[in-house]
């Protein structure tokens, strides 16, 4: 499965890249609160002072990492999105792009999911989801008006799709199984039946 997504961390200078890669691994493995700056430095292979040369604090690291990955996810979902297509076609495209990103970038996706509502995100990070939500909300509102989509909020639509996919990937990962295209297709059909009027 392919998706329009690059590796944003890989585009930085070596030390900054190493710090962010180490932070991503540790935040995913240990959690934000159980990770400290010396651990990030050790994992990145740099001195603690080097961390503070690039970042003011651990909060600054997690916020930059979140913004970078959220930007990449938004680009993967929204770039050249066919908003002129039927709602069923739009949902298929959205699901295809979302599942493609998650399958190809599971570490990045789970980081976004875990930290999305975290109190240490700053206002800039919290605002990252607004353009994506607004774009899809306009499409969903039109579909509601046309009688294609149930009269449910965007928050519920996001919870159904993102929550279902997250649970699916976690379940299959923990059991060491691969998610096949057939499973994703069946899940898409179930979700659409839940959303369609």
């Amino acid at each position: 499965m392919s998706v329009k997504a690059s590796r944003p961390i890989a585009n930085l200078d070596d030390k900054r890249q190493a710090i962010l890669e180490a932070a991503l691994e540790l935040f995913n493995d240990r959690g934000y609160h159980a990770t400290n700056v010396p651990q990030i430095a050790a994992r990145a292979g740099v001195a603690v002072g080097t961390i503070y040369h690039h970042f003011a604090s651990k909060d600054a690291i997690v916020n930059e990492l979140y913004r970078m990955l959220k930007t990449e996810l938004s680009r993967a979902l929204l770039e050249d999105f066919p908003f002129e297509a039927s709602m069923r076609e739009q949902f298929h495209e959205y699901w295809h792009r979302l599942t493609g990103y998650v399958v190809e970038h599971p570490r990045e996706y789970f980081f976004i999911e875990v930290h999305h509502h975290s109190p240490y995100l700053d206002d800039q990070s919290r605002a990252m989801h607004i353009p994506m939500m607004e774009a899809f909300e306009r499409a969903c509102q039109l579909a509601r008006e046309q009688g294609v989509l149930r009269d449910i909020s965007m928050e519920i639509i996001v919870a159904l799709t993102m929550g279902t996919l997250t649970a699916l990937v976690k379940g299959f990962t923990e059991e060491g199984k691969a998610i096949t295209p057939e499973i994703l297709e069946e899940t898409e059909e179930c979700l659409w039946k839940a959303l369609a009027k």
Side-chain angles (χ1 to χ4, degrees), residues 1 6-7 34 42 53-55 63 73 77 84 94 97 104 127-128 133 145 165 167 176 189:
M1 178 179 292
S6 60
R7 294 297 305 279
H53 173 74
H54 289 276
F55 300 97
N63 275 280
L73 174 59
L77 292 178
E84 73 288 348
Y94 167 76
R97 291 180 181 212
E104 292 189 15
M128 293 295 295
M133 288 290 286
E145 292 169 2
L165 180 58
E189 190 60 33

Side-chain angles (χ1 to χ4, degrees), residues 3-152:
V3 65
K4 293 180 180 179
S6 60
R7 294 297 305 279
I9 297 175
N11 297 329
L12 305 173
D13 70 74
D14 290 345
K15 288 185 179 178
R16 196 175 189 88
Q17 174 185 338
I19 292 165
L20 290 171
E21 286 280 3
L24 176 61
E25 292 172 6
L26 287 167
F27 292 152
N28 278 352
D29 293 346
R30 299 173 55 87
Y32 175 79
H33 294 293
T35 299
N36 58 41
V37 171
Q39 289 167 338
I40 296 172
R43 179 71 64 94
V46 301
V48 171
T50 302
I51 300 269
Y52 289 112
H53 173 74
H54 289 276
F55 300 97
S57 63
K58 185 173 75 168
D59 279 5
I61 297 172
V62 76
N63 275 280
E64 178 164 336
L65 190 55
Y66 181 87
R67 287 193 290 268
M68 287 175 62
L69 299 180
K70 190 73 172 184
T71 297
E72 189 61 19
L73 174 59
S74 297
R75 189 189 70 76
L77 292 178
L78 289 175
E79 188 172 81
D80 299 322
F81 191 85
F83 284 108
E84 73 288 348
S86 71
M87 192 60 196
R88 180 65 185 95
E89 291 169 326
Q90 288 187 54
F91 184 76
H92 172 74
E93 182 68 15
Y94 167 76
W95 181 251
H96 176 75
R97 291 180 181 212
L98 177 61
T99 56
Y101 184 88
V102 174
V103 169
E104 292 189 15
H105 305 291
R107 296 184 317 150
E108 292 83 351
Y109 175 76
F110 284 121
F111 173 86
I112 292 169
E113 279 299 290
V114 167
H115 299 280
H116 181 65
H117 297 291
S118 299
Y120 40 79
L121 291 185
D122 58 27
D123 291 342
Q124 184 181 353
S125 293
R126 291 179 190 282
M128 293 295 295
H129 76 287
I130 294 174
M132 189 179 350
M133 288 290 286
E134 288 179 342
F136 287 120
E137 175 59 37
R138 286 191 296 271
C140 289
Q141 182 57 38
L142 180 59
R144 289 188 205 100
E145 292 169 2
Q146 294 171 343
V148 176
L149 201 64
R150 291 176 188 262
D151 189 18
I152 55 179

